[in-house]
């Protein structure tokens, strides 16, 4: 593995063993992290590590679903075994479906019953391709069961009716007598699936109906009234379609106008993208990388400000902030359908994932669910497929390394120190979050977004002492490095030996552009 080390005035290309020496020798930028173990009180919900899969491009068809006949690709009831095996390692807690913009055009009854009787429709949002409805409610819920993930279904508000929505909930959840449970049984499923998470429309301010916040708040109240408030093991989550990035007015109006008993979550969408200048997914410049990271780090401010509005109306934090679309968005791969949003995934994406998940962990008192857009072959995917072949991306590896934080106790932390500067603008170079799991082990995830400098981090842990440290790292020589079908393991995690316990403090050398997860016992 080769690394490019930049130091004032010159740069070196080095191989891995030499890198460890250079890390010691290079005067690294200093950072101080404080972990306040004694202030721990909130749990990082595993649902922060959710995913999003839409009927868009090759996410569902070709990604998850190949159908049972006519394919050499090994599958279980039409769902690819290789994909399920890879995704199970991420312990995906919840999966959002069927959209996205597609959700507000989707009529769920088109996607149940015998395949031959399901109508074909046009997917008007994503390329006008034929949607044959072969992947519908039963197939999605089968997928969730194969993955061990909880389903998160977004219902159609923009072009659907209150009755359709309420009947979908009855179809999936009702045990007793009634036409919807009878229909489900007729279609081969005796027991209800008990779906807890329901999105009430998607991007109602845009593709979901171009509504004003005030209008949507009223519509929401009607829909939410007819969606049952209880679920098998507690409250059912009705999640309001939330703001796009910095539309704080949207959150304010929804919090003000929707009575608390009618809402369990409010969404937020934010992509790390400059809409006027999306860059190439692999051929980007350092200035473009810097801009992507600036947009990704905006999530900190967005979460803080939307949460502050929510605090005003809901000081007990009963309503969750659900960031159900986030990730990087670039130009599509040359030669692919522009409406399919197929993009490669590099170390830049690993950086986005690392810093964003740290932000969510650190705000787990309010952010109790989030969904990366999108799981397979679309936007910041964790899996890419090409016919029978499948690879995992740098983002996949970050998600896998961060599974240690699922349902762990957040250890509040702060970081002071180095900056990453390009063309006179700067960002904090190091991002951190920490948690303690049920076995008592502490996990610290650190990201150095600076592609040119090692960051030395001195970590003080208040209120706890440890006797051993181990770690894993995801790093690569160039920001643009990525996995391909011919070179599927170019970017993958390795053991990390750059952390040293020194009494009560921990000294870590973070290589340029790296994600490190440490375990202290
Ligand atoms: O994730 C792609 C699209 O981005 C979704 O369909 C929509 O909700 C958002 O604008």
């Amino acid at each position: 593995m080769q690394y490019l080390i930049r130091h004032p005035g010159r740069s070196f290309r080095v191989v891995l063993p030499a890198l460890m020496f250079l890390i010691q020798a290079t005067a690294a930028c200093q950072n101080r992290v404080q972990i306040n173990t004694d202030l721990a009180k909130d749990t990082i919900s595993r649902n922060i590590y959710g995913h999003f899969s839409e009927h868009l491009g090759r996410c569902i068809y070709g990604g998850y679903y190949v159908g049972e006949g006519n394919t050499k690709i090994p599958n279980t009831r039409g769902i690819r075994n290789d994909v399920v095996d890879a995704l199970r390692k991420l312990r995906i807690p919840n999966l959002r479906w069927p959209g996205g913009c597609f959700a507000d055009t989707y009529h769920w009854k088109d996607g149940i019953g015998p395949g031959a009787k399901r109508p074909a429709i046009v997917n008007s949002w994503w390329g006008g391709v034929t949607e044959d409805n072969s992947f519908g409610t039963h197939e999605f819920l089968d997928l969730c069961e194969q993955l061990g993930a909880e389903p998160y279904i977004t219902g159609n508000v923009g072009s659907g009716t209150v009755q359709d929505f309420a009947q979908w909930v009855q179809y999936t959840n009702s045990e007793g007598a009634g036409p919807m449970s009878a229909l489900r049984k007729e279609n081969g499923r005796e027991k209800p699936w008990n779906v807890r998470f329901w999105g009430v429309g998607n991007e109602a301010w845009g593709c979901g109906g171009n509504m004003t916040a005030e209008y949507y708040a009223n519509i929401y109240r009607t829909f939410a009234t007819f969606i049952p408030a209880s679920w098998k093991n507690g409250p059912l989550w009705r999640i309001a379609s939330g703001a796009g990035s910095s539309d704080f007015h949207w959150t304010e109006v929804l919090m003000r106008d929707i009575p608390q008993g009618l809402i369990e979550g409010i969404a937020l969408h934010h992509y790390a993208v400059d809409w006027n200048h999306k860059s190439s997914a692999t051929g980007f410049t350092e200035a473009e990388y810097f801009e992507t990271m600036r947009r990704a780090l905006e999530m900190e401010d967005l979460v803080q400000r939307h949460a502050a509005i929510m605090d005003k109306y809901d000081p007990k934090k009963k309503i969750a902030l659900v960031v159900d679309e986030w990730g990087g968005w670039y130009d599509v791969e040359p030669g692919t359908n522009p409406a399919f949003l197929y993009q490669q995934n590099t170390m830049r994406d690993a950086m986005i994932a690392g810093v964003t998940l740290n932000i969510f962990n650190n705000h787990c008192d309010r952010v109790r669910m989030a969904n990366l857009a999108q799981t397979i072959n679309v936007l910041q995917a964790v899996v890419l497929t090409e016919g029978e072949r499948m690879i995992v991306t740098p983002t996949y590896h970050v998600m896998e390394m961060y599974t240690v934080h699922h349902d762990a106790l957040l250890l509040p932390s702060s970081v002071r120190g180095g900056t990453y500067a390009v063309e006179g603008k700067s960002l904090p170079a190091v991002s951190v979050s920490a948690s303690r799991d049920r076995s008592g082990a502490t996990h610290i995830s650190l990201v150095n977004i600076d592609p040119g400098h090692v960051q030395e981090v001195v970590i003080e842990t208040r209120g706890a002492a440890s006797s051993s440290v181990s770690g894993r790292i995801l790093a690569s020589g160039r920001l643009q490095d990525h996995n391909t079908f011919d070179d599927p393991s170019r970017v993958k995690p390795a053991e990390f030996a750059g952390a040293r316990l020194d009494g009560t403090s921990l000294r870590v050398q973070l290589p340029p552009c790296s994600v490190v997860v440490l375990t202290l016992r």
Side-chain angles (χ1 to χ4, degrees):
M1 198 184 296
Q2 285 213 331
Y3 286 82
L4 181 70
I5 299 288
R6 254 181 262 144
H7 206 243
R10 51 211 181 110
S11 43
F12 321 79
R13 197 167 284 285
V14 291
V15 287
L16 187 57
L19 173 72
M20 295 325 289
F21 167 77
L22 264 171
I23 285 173
Q24 306 299 329
T26 308
C29 307
Q30 293 282 336
N31 300 265
R32 297 199 84 79
V33 166
Q34 180 150 319
I35 299 183
N36 298 311
T37 303
D38 47 343
L39 299 181
K41 61 180 178 36
D42 298 310
T43 298
I44 299 171
S45 171
R46 65 181 184 284
N47 285 317
I48 283 176
Y49 292 81
H51 287 253
F52 167 40
S53 297
E54 180 167 10
H55 285 241
L56 193 178
R58 296 186 300 114
C59 184
I60 301 293
Y61 300 109
Y64 288 110
Y65 195 68
V66 286
E68 284 179 277
N70 253 338
T71 178
K72 283 200 245 116
I73 302 173
N75 67 83
T76 304
R77 293 178 295 281
I79 297 166
R80 291 178 73 130
N81 294 344
D82 53 353
V83 165
V84 169
D85 288 347
L87 293 180
R88 281 187 71 87
K89 298 196 181 95
L90 300 187
R91 306 210 310 260
I92 292 182
N94 70 81
L95 184 60
R96 179 175 184 250
W97 172 88
C101 295
F102 181 75
D104 284 290
T105 63
Y106 183 62
H107 297 279
W108 68 273
K109 285 181 190 154
D110 291 347
I112 56 169
K117 291 204 173 144
R118 298 187 190 180
I121 58 161
V122 170
N123 186 334
S124 52
W125 275 109
W126 305 115
V129 295
T130 301
E131 161 63 65
D132 68 3
N133 277 305
S134 55
F135 189 92
T137 301
H138 288 250
E139 291 74 21
F140 170 64
L141 294 168
D142 184 14
L143 167 65
C144 288
E145 287 180 340
Q146 291 191 35
L147 294 174
E150 267 197 80
Y152 169 15
I153 296 182
T154 301
N156 181 345
V157 169
S159 70
T161 64
V162 175
Q163 187 189 30
D164 281 341
F165 199 135
Q167 287 186 333
W168 203 358
V169 182
Q170 289 157 15
Y171 187 85
T172 60
N173 288 7
S174 104
E175 180 101 65
M180 288 304 112
S181 58
L183 184 59
R184 183 189 67 235
K185 288 174 191 166
E186 207 180 297
N187 287 331
R189 173 80 183 197
E190 190 62 28
K191 288 260 162 257
W193 290 277
N194 285 306
V195 178
R196 172 161 56 144
F197 302 122
W198 292 87
V200 183
N202 170 74
E203 296 194 351
W205 40 265
C207 62
N210 282 310
M211 303 177 204
T212 63
E214 289 76 5
Y215 182 75
Y216 172 71
N218 273 332
I219 297 255
Y220 175 93
R221 291 163 65 129
T222 313
F223 273 80
T225 303
F226 296 96
I227 302 171
S230 64
W231 167 77
K232 182 186 59 155
N233 294 323
L236 182 139
W237 280 38
R238 291 157 297 183
I239 300 165
S241 163
S245 297
S246 60
D247 184 355
F248 302 112
H249 173 74
W250 187 271
T251 302
E252 179 87 42
V253 172
L254 266 48
M255 290 303 295
R256 187 192 67 203
D257 291 359
I258 299 174
Q260 286 224 354
L262 281 182
I263 181 167
E264 287 71 32
I266 183 164
L268 167 67
H269 289 180
H270 177 63
Y271 287 96
V273 61
D274 174 353
W275 295 109
N276 298 319
H277 176 81
K278 296 198 212 87
S279 52
S280 153
T282 50
F284 53 91
T285 64
E286 186 167 353
E288 288 169 331
Y289 165 69
F290 182 92
E291 181 57 15
T292 306
M293 293 318 298
R294 193 182 70 72
R295 305 254 176 181
L297 288 164
E298 267 175 7
M299 187 67 88
E300 172 68 39
D301 186 55
L302 293 175
V303 165
Q304 278 189 30
R305 293 177 67 182
H306 285 287
I309 296 167
M310 295 175 78
D311 287 350
K312 221 168 47 171
Y313 297 93
D314 172 32
K316 294 202 173 128
K317 301 184 194 293
K318 288 193 183 143
I319 301 170
L321 182 58
V322 177
V323 190
D324 54 17
E325 287 187 30
W326 66 272
W329 190 318
Y330 317 118
D331 294 331
V332 298
E333 289 305 304
T336 65
N337 186 332
F340 281 13
L341 308 185
Y342 176 68
Q343 63 191 39
Q344 249 295 354
N345 193 290
T346 66
M347 283 305 295
R348 168 168 66 171
D349 297 275
M351 298 294 103
I352 299 176
V355 302
T356 306
L357 293 169
N358 280 344
I359 293 168
F360 294 160
N361 286 348
N362 290 332
H363 292 282
C364 65
D365 60 334
R366 188 60 91 173
V367 180
R368 296 202 285 274
M369 188 159 165
N371 302 78
L372 174 63
Q374 299 194 6
T375 323
I376 311 177
N377 295 331
V378 172
L379 299 177
Q380 191 173 340
V382 291
V383 163
L384 302 176
T385 65
E386 195 178 83
E388 290 172 47
R389 301 200 288 177
M390 184 210 82
I391 56 171
V392 299
T393 65
T395 302
Y396 173 96
H397 291 305
V398 176
M399 281 284 194
E400 186 273 319
M401 288 163 74
Y402 276 51
T403 53
V404 292
H405 292 305
H406 291 202
D407 291 334
L409 181 70
L410 175 75
L411 305 178
S413 57
S414 59
V415 58
R416 258 183 314 122
T419 52
Y420 165 45
V422 171
E423 294 170 0
K425 293 177 280 183
S426 67
L427 294 170
V430 172
S431 138
V432 65
S433 71
S435 69
R436 182 184 294 147
D437 69 18
R438 288 207 183 98
S439 77
T442 294
H443 303 283
I444 306 174
S445 42
L446 294 150
V447 186
N448 174 12
I449 66 166
D450 186 336
H453 297 93
V454 173
Q455 299 286 332
E456 183 174 73
V457 186
V458 177
I459 303 174
E460 296 286 348
T461 311
R462 253 182 37 174
S466 310
S467 54
S468 74
V469 58
S470 58
R472 293 169 77 205
I473 181 168
L474 188 74
S476 197
R478 294 176 67 244
L479 271 175
Q480 292 80 1
D481 282 351
H482 57 278
N483 295 332
T484 64
F485 292 95
D486 295 326
D487 189 4
S489 303
R490 186 181 176 93
V491 181
K492 62 174 189 211
E495 263 184 51
F496 179 64
R500 230 182 39 240
L501 263 173
D502 186 3
T504 59
S505 70
L506 183 63
R507 202 169 276 275
V508 187
Q509 302 281 345
L510 282 183
C513 181
S514 62
V515 178
V516 166
V517 178
L518 300 174
T519 299
L520 277 77
R521 290 183 204 274

